[in-house]
């Protein structure tokens, strides 16, 4: 399956890019599983930052939220708007 | 149109007037304006957002406010992005209702939810360099979900 990854704000700067496309074997994964996979495959900061948030298909997600083929998954720091 | 994310400035007076246009059931309009504060040598602030998700998150917050306060009859939320100088307006929330109680409450609710649930990030620029603003409320709803 293919997943579109996006990074925002300080995380985007730490990772050094705004996003990437990742291909996996299998057809489903959780947000935390995806995060662990990315951390183990070069995106070290995802394993080092405790306070990250995530969204799946532009809706706030938790660690157990399912990620499927074609989904857009974003990782970002806690929001600071307003 | 209830929600806008834009680089340009807004006219709060005009936005409040629009909430009243053509209505006779409004007895109160409560509004909030957030402004770039010059604390700690801040000269400018850059606001980043997640196009698409940000607008949807704001719409969901407005929907939630309207369902909690059914006497609210009009809401307008404008949030600016890009580079803003000290003293510039960042965000506008205007709420029209029958009476002041629901207008005040819904306006404050929308701002509180916006600050913890809408994907915006602030980076401050000072003479010494730039820094990302850290979220202050570690107990917010987003933290609990994550």
């Amino acid at each position: 399956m293919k997943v579109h990854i996006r990074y925002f704000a300080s995380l985007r700067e730490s990772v050094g890019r705004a996003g990437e496309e990742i291909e996996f074997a299998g057809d489903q994964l959780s947000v935390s599983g995806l995060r662990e996979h990315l951390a183990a495959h070069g995106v070290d900061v995802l394993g080092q930052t405790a306070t990250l948030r995530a969204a799946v298909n532009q809706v706030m997600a938790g660690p157990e939220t399912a990620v499927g083929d074609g989904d857009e998954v974003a990782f970002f720091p806690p929001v600071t708007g307003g | 149109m209830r929600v806008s994310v834009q680089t340009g400035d807004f006219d709060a007076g005009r936005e409040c007037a629009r909430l009243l246009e053509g209505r006779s059931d409004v007895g109160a309009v409560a509004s909030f304006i957030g402004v770039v504060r010059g604390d700690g040598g801040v000269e400018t602030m850059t606001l980043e957002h997640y196009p698409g998700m940000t607008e949807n998150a704001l719409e969901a917050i407005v929907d939630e406010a309207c369902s909690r306060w059914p006497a609210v009859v009009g809401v307008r939320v404008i949030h600016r992005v890009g580079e803003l100088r000290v003293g510039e307006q960042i965000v506008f929330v205007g709420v029209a209702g029958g009476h002041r109680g629901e207008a005040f409450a819904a306006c404050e609710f929308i701002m509180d939810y916006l600050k913890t649930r809408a994907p915006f990030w602030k980076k401050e620029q000072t003479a010494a360099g730039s820094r990302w603003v850290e979220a202050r409320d570690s107990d917010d709803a987003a933290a609990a979900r994550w």
Side-chain angles (χ1 to χ4, degrees):
Chain A
M1 70 179 201
K2 187 187 276 187
V3 177
H4 312 276
I5 311 288
R6 301 184 70 174
Y7 306 112
F8 288 92
S10 54
L11 182 65
R12 172 175 49 74
E13 291 185 351
S14 302
V15 174
R17 53 190 177 274
E20 55 201 308
E21 305 239 322
I22 305 282
E23 297 232 30
F24 301 95
D27 57 6
Q28 198 167 303
L29 198 67
S30 66
V31 166
S32 61
L34 175 61
R35 183 174 164 172
E36 284 160 21
H37 176 93
L38 290 165
H41 290 80
V43 193
D44 302 9
V45 65
L46 281 180
Q48 297 157 0
T49 313
T51 56
L52 288 180
R53 306 286 185 260
V56 175
N57 296 328
Q58 306 197 354
V59 175
M60 287 288 189
E64 306 307 322
T65 303
V67 176
D69 186 40
D71 283 351
E72 176 176 300
V73 181
F75 293 97
F76 43 79
V79 302
T80 56
Chain B
M1 183 173 44
R2 302 190 303 176
V3 164
S4 297
V5 177
Q6 62 190 46
T7 54
D9 202 5
F10 52 80
D11 179 338
R14 196 169 69 184
E15 297 302 333
C16 287
R18 279 189 184 150
L19 288 168
L20 295 172
E21 267 171 20
R23 308 202 70 109
S24 58
D25 55 350
V26 174
V29 175
S31 66
F32 173 86
I33 299 169
V35 175
V36 180
R37 198 174 47 235
D39 283 0
V42 171
E43 294 171 349
T44 60
M45 188 171 266
T46 305
L47 276 130
E48 178 172 333
H49 75 303
Y50 185 168
M53 178 174 171
T54 304
E55 291 84 348
N56 291 341
L58 293 174
E59 288 282 357
I61 292 166
V62 173
D63 282 344
E64 178 68 21
C66 291
S67 79
R68 289 189 188 211
W69 291 278
V72 164
V73 298
V75 176
R76 180 79 171 114
V77 178
I78 304 172
H79 203 300
R80 296 178 69 193
V81 292
E83 188 174 299
L84 302 173
R85 296 182 304 274
V86 170
E88 282 199 82
Q89 304 185 117
I90 304 172
V91 58
F92 172 83
V93 177
V95 178
H99 300 88
R100 70 183 183 283
E102 61 266 19
F104 275 132
C107 187
E108 188 166 23
F109 168 87
I110 289 168
M111 272 311 301
D112 287 348
Y113 263 44
L114 183 156
K115 286 191 91 77
T116 53
R117 298 189 180 198
F120 291 101
W121 301 273
K122 289 186 183 125
K123 192 178 194 181
E124 297 172 338
Q125 286 84 37
T126 70
S130 61
R131 61 188 177 228
W132 289 96
V133 173
E134 304 246 333
R136 289 189 175 83
D137 185 3
S138 58
D139 242 346
D140 60 27
R145 290 160 63 98
W146 177 246

